[in-house]
Amino acid sequence: MSEPRPPLSAAELAAGQVAAIVTAAEHAAAEIAAKADREARELKRDAERDALKMRQDAEREVARAKEEAQAEAVRIAEIARKEADERIKGAEEAANEVLAQAQVISGGLQQLAASLEGQADRMLRDVQAGHRRMLEDLRPPAPGRSIDGGAEEPRPTRPPAGRPGPNPLGDIDVPSWVEGSS
């Protein structure tokens, strides 16, 4: 049988109750710490998930912005290429037109040069012929002979001062372009 236990004193009873309270408090503190640890790990996982989601959203936004920028760059490059092609085409057309005009002008100048050369040759021959005639007119004819080899004709004398005489330029042919302007 069991021996009867002596009755507990109030101090022992209070000490037992305090020990039970401390044990319960320690147990509650351990549970609270475990719960806080679980909640902290769960909050950390949630924060990591949120951070990952934010990072993925940012990466998608960057990729979308990059694609838009590349598309805009391609569009602008195409517009610039078309404008450059149009300007080059216009410049080529202008250059071809200038070349054609230069060729026409060159042909005209060549014709003008040939015409002027022909006129210059005729003028030179006319001047040379006139010079020969003048020299022949300036040489005194052989006595009793005229310039043309026939009998000498009397030379006209000068009219007295103030009276008109024969026109010394009367035998000069006036070009048609001068006659038309008077």
Side-chain angles (χ1 to χ4, degrees):
M1 306 211 163
S2 66
E3 279 181 45
R5 269 195 200 184
L8 290 177
S9 68
E12 287 176 344
L13 246 151
Q17 286 179 343
V18 168
I21 290 172
V22 168
T23 303
E26 286 176 348
H27 183 56
E31 283 182 21
I32 290 172
K35 184 179 177 185
D37 189 41
R38 280 192 307 271
E39 286 177 358
R41 281 193 302 267
E42 191 174 315
L43 287 173
K44 182 180 177 186
R45 278 192 304 269
D46 288 346
E48 287 174 350
R49 269 192 306 258
D50 289 346
L52 180 62
K53 184 178 184 280
M54 290 168 72
R55 180 177 180 196
Q56 290 171 342
D57 289 347
E59 287 174 351
R60 277 192 296 273
E61 184 63 25
V62 166
R64 185 186 62 74
K66 183 178 177 182
E67 287 174 8
E68 288 176 1
Q70 287 175 337
E72 182 68 11
V74 167
R75 186 183 70 78
I76 290 171
E78 184 64 22
I79 290 170
R81 186 191 60 75
K82 285 180 182 178
E83 287 178 3
D85 288 346
E86 288 174 8
R87 288 183 181 174
I88 290 170
K89 183 180 176 185
E92 287 173 347
E93 289 172 358
N96 289 338
E97 185 177 322
V98 167
L99 177 62
Q101 290 175 356
Q103 289 171 337
V104 168
I105 291 171
S106 176
L109 289 174
Q110 288 173 351
Q111 289 176 354
L112 178 62
S115 175
L116 290 175
E117 185 177 351
Q119 290 178 6
D121 288 342
R122 278 190 302 277
M123 289 173 69
L124 179 60
R125 283 191 303 270
D126 291 347
V127 167
Q128 288 172 339
H131 182 258
R132 277 192 301 273
R133 282 192 305 270
M134 287 174 61
L135 287 178
E136 289 172 6
D137 288 345
L138 292 175
R139 284 191 203 132
R145 304 252 334 149
S146 67
I147 294 176
D148 60 4
E152 188 174 318
E153 296 180 17
R155 291 189 171 230
T157 59
R158 284 196 165 169
R163 291 178 57 196
N167 184 356
L169 302 177
D171 62 342
I172 295 179
D173 291 332
V174 178
S176 62
W177 58 270
V178 172
E179 289 175 356
S181 65
S182 55

